[in-house]
């Protein structure tokens, strides 16, 4: 039970206290269920292999999971003082300002975006951010939920594949040129041999006419 005690006045003068008891068993059960659900959700989020954060509209990080913190290399104490803007690579901040303005004006649909971020040790990484709006009861934007994936190695692999394809294409082009040149040389050789054979036959025939004529 939850008790509420209020003074009772009679003719403007304190008389007695009146206590009202309210059965809050159901409310406590709901609160406990919510706390349990929240704890289980946090365990689930901390188990996820992807970085997950929740921010307010100013970019302040309200929640982060362990994968996010590990990705950037900050301690829990440091994370509590950082914003989502602090994770951006310095030369990328200007590029994201307009995009953020578009976010707040709801011009952008929740689609994956690629950003360059910076780890605590100064290394720049490529990340993919899958995000969505968080809204209040009135429908207004109150923040964002973001799932962060490190795609640095993926992009590096893609670049290596492109470079390898270009090298292979260049090699094929060179080999094709070599084959064309070889075919031309072979054709010239065949023509020369044919011409030599014809000259030899003509010489033999002329010699035979001279000897037996």
């Amino acid at each position: 039970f939850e008790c509420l005690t209020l003074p009772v006045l009679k003719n403007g003068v304190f008389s007695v206290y009146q206590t009202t008891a309210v059965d809050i068993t159901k409310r406590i059960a709901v609160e406990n269920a919510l706390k349990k659900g929240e704890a289980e959700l946090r365990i689930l989020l901390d188990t996820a292999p992807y970085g997950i954060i929740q921010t307010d509209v100013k970019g302040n990080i309200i929640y982060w999971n362990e994968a996010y913190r590990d990705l950037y290399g900050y301690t829990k104490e440091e994370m509590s003082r950082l914003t989502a803007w602090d994770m951006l690579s310095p030369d990328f901040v200007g590029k994201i300002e307009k995009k953020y303005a578009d976010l707040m004006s709801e011009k952008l649909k929740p689609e994956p975006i690629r950003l360059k971020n910076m780890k605590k040790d100064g290394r720049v990484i490529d990340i993919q951010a899958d995000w969505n709006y968080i809204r209040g009861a009135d429908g207004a934007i109150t923040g964002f939920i973001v799932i962060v994936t490190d795609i640095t190695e993926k992009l590096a692999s893609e670049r290596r594949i492109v470079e390898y394809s270009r090298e292979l294409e260049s090699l094929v082009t060179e080999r094709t040129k070599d084959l064309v040149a070889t075919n031309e040389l072979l054709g010239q050789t065949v023509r020369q041999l044919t011409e030599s054979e014809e000259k030899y036959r003509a010489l033999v025939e002329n010699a035979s006419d001279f000897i037996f004529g």
Side-chain angles (χ1 to χ4, degrees):
F1 288 89
E2 183 177 72
C3 297
L4 177 64
T5 301
L6 297 172
V8 177
L9 303 179
K10 179 179 280 190
N11 298 324
V13 179
F14 169 75
S15 176
V16 294
Y17 285 103
Q18 179 177 330
T19 300
T20 302
V22 179
D23 186 352
I24 59 172
T25 305
K26 291 183 178 180
R27 192 183 81 186
I28 291 178
V30 171
E31 290 176 350
N32 289 337
L34 289 174
K35 289 179 181 178
K36 181 182 178 182
E38 182 180 354
E40 292 175 347
L41 178 60
R42 286 187 178 275
I43 292 174
L44 176 63
L45 293 177
D46 282 336
T47 306
Y50 306 103
I52 301 173
I53 59 169
Q54 178 185 345
T55 74
D56 61 18
V57 293
K58 294 181 179 180
N60 296 311
I61 300 176
I62 300 171
Y63 167 80
W64 69 86
N65 69 345
E66 288 301 304
Y68 186 88
R69 186 175 66 83
D70 291 342
L71 175 60
Y72 293 94
Y74 290 101
T75 64
K76 291 182 178 180
E77 182 180 356
E78 290 170 330
M79 282 297 306
S80 64
R81 300 193 299 266
L82 296 172
T83 69
W85 306 113
D86 295 319
M87 305 304 177
L88 289 172
S89 173
D91 59 352
F92 207 78
V93 174
K95 298 177 182 179
I96 202 65
E97 286 180 347
K98 183 181 183 303
K99 191 175 289 290
Y100 183 74
D102 290 339
L103 285 176
M104 293 308 301
S105 61
E106 300 187 57
K107 291 181 179 179
L108 295 182
K109 295 181 180 180
E111 297 176 341
I113 57 176
R114 290 184 174 182
L115 305 169
K116 284 191 177 294
N117 282 11
M118 181 177 288
K119 297 165 72 76
K120 179 181 177 181
D121 60 12
R123 284 184 294 165
V124 175
I125 58 174
D126 293 288
I127 65 109
Q128 176 173 304
D130 295 86
W131 61 277
N132 209 334
Y133 297 102
I134 296 177
R135 302 180 184 276
D138 60 354
I141 299 173
T142 59
F144 304 92
I145 185 75
V146 186
I147 300 176
V148 175
T149 307
D150 184 356
I151 58 173
T152 307
E153 186 56 39
K154 174 186 176 182
L155 294 184
S157 297
E158 290 177 355
R159 286 192 292 269
R160 287 194 293 268
I161 291 173
V162 171
E163 291 174 0
Y164 176 76
S165 297
R166 288 175 179 171
E167 291 176 359
L168 184 60
E169 183 179 351
S170 177
L171 181 61
V172 169
T173 301
E174 291 178 2
R175 292 299 301 273
T176 300
K177 290 180 179 178
D178 291 341
L179 287 173
V180 170
T182 300
N183 287 335
E184 290 178 353
L185 180 60
L186 181 60
Q188 291 175 0
T189 303
V190 170
R191 286 194 296 272
Q192 290 173 355
L193 288 174
T194 301
E195 291 174 357
S196 297
E197 182 180 358
E198 290 176 352
K199 290 180 180 179
Y200 177 76
R201 285 181 178 176
L203 180 62
V204 170
E205 290 175 357
N206 291 333
S208 298
D209 292 341
F210 177 75
I211 295 173
F212 301 103

